[in-house]
Every structure is written in structure tokens, then in C-alpha cells.
Amino acid sequence: MISKKPRWKTVIIGFSLAVVLLGVTVYSATTNILIEGTIPDSKVFDGAVKVTVRSLTIKPGEELPWHYHPGHAFNVVKSGTLTVEDGCGGEKKLTPGQGFEEMNGRVHRGKNVDATEVVVYDTFITAPGKPTTVNIAANEGRCGPPKDVDECKNDGWRRFNHPRSFINQGRCVDFVGHMPRTLSQF
């Protein structure tokens, strides 16, 4: 008589692997670190900072994962048309020579909805030892943190879920008033 145990193990392992593979999204965007360096005593950021400059190439039709930057990110489009989607809603299209900044951990993602590659130059300013980018778990769209007090008004406080949610407008306003002011707090 042939035991059915090994067959069940094979089926379970195969099924588990299939579930894992279906849940994984592969991104083909390529990054090239151009230079990294440390400023030991930045007057602007009140302490040591790491500066990283990179190029990012996004293929036609590709969407980057939802992410944020634990510090400051300054970005300029070199070629193509970049669409930046904010986690709280809204999109902006940027063409060569146009730039944008991402600060305070705001969740967003870049997309290339056109037929040509997009090339972006990014400059990240972070605390030493911090990554330049943090992807959101399970590529879940998240909203936040609030940029300013106005985003908390008129029930705007209800939509935030990153890095936390709020129980009322006052708590949202208080959060904005106590947002990190130095890079080491990100």
C-alpha cells in the first residue's frame, strides 16, 4: 500500500509556493547610485546627514510600489513623463526639467503611463544609517502623514492611516504641530 502523506505534503508545499508567488509583484525599475556622502555637521538639518544621489529608470506601463522616504527627497525628471500618485489622492504629471520634493514620510508612488522610459534623478537627505526609501508592506495604499493643519480640517483627519490614524481633528492638528523637525526623528 502506498502512503498518501508525501503526496499531501507536496500538494501543500506547491499550493503555498503558488500563493507566495502570486502575492509577489516584480518591479523592473532600475536604480543607479551615482554618489553617497556624509555631511558630519549640517547647519540646515541640525546634525549629521547622509546625501545619496541616484538615477531611477521606470519602464513604460510600470507602477512603483507604495513607499515613503524617511528624510527628504528632491527629484527632477530627466526624460519621459512621470506620474506621481499621492497616497491620500491626486496625481501630478511631470515632464523633463520639472521637479518635486517628498518630505516627512508622505506615502506616494511613481508611475510611467506612457510608451517611453522615464528617467528621474533623486537626491535623498537622510540620517546616517537610515534607508532612502521604505516600501509599504503588501504594497498597500496608505494616506499620510498630514502635510499641514489644513489637511486635518473638514473631516480630512478621517482619511489618514499612515503612520497612524486620528480620533478627531484636534489630534491630527496636534500631530502636525509635533512632526519630526530633524532627520534623526524620522
Side-chain angles (χ1 to χ4, degrees):
M1 185 167 176
I2 299 174
S3 171
K4 292 188 179 185
K5 267 189 175 178
R7 184 170 177 89
W8 277 108
K9 285 182 182 178
T10 303
V11 169
I12 290 170
I13 291 170
F15 180 74
S16 299
L17 183 59
V19 169
V20 168
L21 290 176
L22 287 174
V24 174
T25 304
V26 177
Y27 300 99
S28 63
T30 56
T31 61
N32 181 25
I33 303 296
L34 302 173
I35 188 87
E36 281 186 324
T38 301
I39 300 171
D41 189 22
S42 169
K43 303 301 182 225
V44 173
F45 294 101
D46 195 29
V49 297
K50 180 176 79 172
V51 179
T52 304
V53 180
R54 76 166 187 198
S55 65
L56 170 68
T57 302
I58 306 170
K59 303 278 186 212
E62 183 171 14
E63 292 182 349
L64 299 179
W66 288 105
H67 66 279
Y68 64 92
H69 305 288
H72 300 281
F74 300 93
N75 315 278
V76 178
V77 177
K78 181 177 189 281
S79 60
T81 300
L82 175 68
T83 300
V84 179
E85 183 178 8
D86 185 81
C88 296
E91 290 184 344
K92 56 186 164 192
K93 288 190 178 279
L94 300 151
T95 57
Q98 293 183 312
F100 66 101
E101 59 186 318
E102 293 292 343
M103 300 176 149
N104 299 328
R106 184 71 171 218
V107 177
H108 64 284
R109 68 177 171 183
K111 301 189 293 188
N112 180 354
V113 297
D114 289 337
T116 59
E117 285 187 340
V118 170
V119 177
V120 181
Y121 283 94
D122 305 310
T123 301
F124 299 102
I125 301 173
T126 60
K130 294 279 187 173
T132 58
T133 304
V134 176
N135 290 337
I136 300 296
N139 198 27
E140 178 183 4
R142 309 285 288 165
C143 176
K147 291 179 184 178
D148 55 41
V149 169
D150 288 338
E151 285 195 322
C152 298
K153 295 178 180 176
N154 301 319
D155 285 337
W157 61 271
R158 293 179 186 275
R159 66 185 175 162
F160 294 107
N161 58 8
H162 177 84
R164 55 171 286 201
S165 56
F166 302 102
I167 60 171
N168 59 40
Q169 180 177 313
R171 294 284 173 96
C172 182
V173 169
D174 187 54
F175 178 87
V176 171
H178 292 93
M179 283 189 354
R181 301 293 180 223
T182 63
L183 291 176
S184 62
Q185 293 176 298
F186 282 97

